[in-house]
Amino acid sequence: MIKMQLTGATDTGGWHWDGCRWISGRSWIEPFTHPAIEHVMVTTPESGQSCLIVREAASGRQPVTKIRRVMSDPGYRREVEEADAWPLQAVRVEMAAGHGVRITCGERGVAPLYLHPTGGQLNVSWDLLDLDPETDDLDAREVAAMLAYRSRYSTATVFRTIR
């Protein structure tokens, strides 16, 4: 449900919506565009945290698409906890200044996304081919398992550098 490229620190101004994606410095996050999907960017200047929530829209609830909410730390935590309790599918990307990125999805926190860290940046997509994999990076064991219709449920993919 998202494509993303995180490169270095985010801008001091935080994340802004350009009509297609959320941008901060050279980093960007692009939610999948569909009428049944909505997203909101929640930030807190107090602790420098940001969280993008991309979720299935629920009927009877106010949509939140393409807005940015700046709030206090307690409000931020409440918003993230509410995202955890969302009754439908949701992807959450949490970022904190000077720290790593946490991506979770769905009921058990498993993100159906491919991750490719390279050259100081993290590229993420729900479509493996968006990450431009190299054919010489094939993992023989995973390819053999796939060809034998014995795919394993793991973080491994047919490419060694993509998880």
Side-chain angles (χ1 to χ4, degrees):
M1 293 186 358
I2 64 170
K3 296 178 185 181
M4 173 171 71
Q5 177 180 305
L6 297 179
T7 306
T10 57
D11 280 350
T12 55
W15 293 90
H16 69 276
W17 179 250
D18 77 347
C20 295
R21 54 175 60 159
W22 290 96
I23 297 176
S24 182
R26 296 184 335 214
S27 298
W28 56 266
I29 306 173
E30 183 178 326
F32 185 71
T33 303
H34 190 278
I37 297 174
E38 60 187 24
H39 61 273
V40 61
M41 176 67 75
V42 183
T43 62
T44 176
E46 294 172 25
S47 58
Q49 294 177 297
S50 300
C51 181
L52 176 67
I53 301 163
V54 182
R55 64 189 188 193
E56 287 181 297
S59 61
R61 296 201 185 191
Q62 186 67 27
V64 295
T65 300
K66 300 173 191 159
I67 62 171
R68 179 176 161 210
R69 292 184 182 155
V70 179
M71 49 187 49
S72 66
D73 281 349
Y76 174 86
R77 283 191 296 279
R78 202 170 31 257
E79 194 79 20
V80 171
E81 288 169 4
E82 183 181 306
D84 280 341
W86 190 249
L88 303 172
Q89 287 295 322
V91 174
R92 192 175 75 228
V93 181
E94 294 178 80
M95 301 155 282
H99 298 286
V101 176
R102 180 178 178 191
I103 304 170
T104 57
C105 177
E107 205 173 298
R108 292 176 179 81
V110 179
L113 297 169
Y114 294 101
L115 300 119
H116 187 220
T118 179
Q121 72 184 27
L122 176 64
N123 295 300
V124 177
S125 180
W126 56 272
D127 183 354
L128 178 67
L129 297 180
D130 284 341
L131 301 178
D132 199 23
E134 299 290 330
T135 54
D136 61 348
D137 191 34
L138 287 170
D139 183 327
R141 179 179 176 186
E142 295 303 320
V143 170
M146 184 184 74
L147 292 173
Y149 297 106
R150 297 191 182 266
S151 298
R152 301 176 310 132
Y153 184 76
S154 75
T155 60
T157 70
V158 295
F159 298 98
R160 286 187 295 272
T161 58
I162 297 176
R163 295 285 175 225

